[in-house]
Amino acid sequence: MNERDWVDLVVIVASVLSSFGILATIAVYFWQKKDSENSEKKRQKEISISYLNIFTAYAGELKTIVNQLVKLHDLLNRNNNSFVEYLGGHNIHAFILKNTKGRELGNARMFKFDSSSLSYIYSSSASVNVNISEKYQFLYKCSIQINTYIENLILKIHYDNSKENILDYFSTLKLDESINEIDLCVKDFKDYCES
């Protein structure tokens, strides 16, 4: 082998090694990209599950309030010659059904719903994930609506505390529909987190 052949062989070996180096670099790049994507998916899933846990707790509180309103409505329907007395505290609503003699026939008690903290979580979720933000927006709007129902019920009780007036007001509310919408939203959120 002469010197020219050695030079050609060295050039070929260097070219082959360079090609392997380029291929190895490309392979490492795609491996790191896929690993990064998997890590991001895992992080997003963990964030989604955290938001779901908080969401489920708020949805449960809201459903409890709606169920108590349904209970009050049912109590009114079953008891003639009754009226509702309202007692409110710092963070509680108490609707007490009494007969004309003042004897308690039943009650519906509930904690006041904390819409302001839900609003904060909703606004912070907007920067994390649009799907999560939409769920929190629904729940926030629903909480405002239910708080408005309660405030209007309190006004009705103070203005005209007759059974008929309160039952007329309840007939305008869609409480069962609210419960179904909350349940559906929780289910959608769980399905999203599992996907």
Side-chain angles (χ1 to χ4, degrees), residues 75 79-82 96-99 103-107:
L75 282 169
N79 292 287
N80 292 328
N81 300 322
S82 59
I96 302 165
L97 188 70
K98 293 186 174 184
N99 65 14
R103 194 177 118 243
E104 184 176 327
L105 303 171
N107 64 66

Side-chain angles (χ1 to χ4, degrees), residues 163-179:
K163 175 181 175 178
E164 294 75 26
N165 185 42
I166 305 301
L167 284 175
D168 284 345
Y169 177 66
F170 271 114
S171 70
T172 66
L173 306 181
K174 298 175 181 171
L175 297 174
D176 290 331
E177 192 175 298
S178 295
I179 291 172

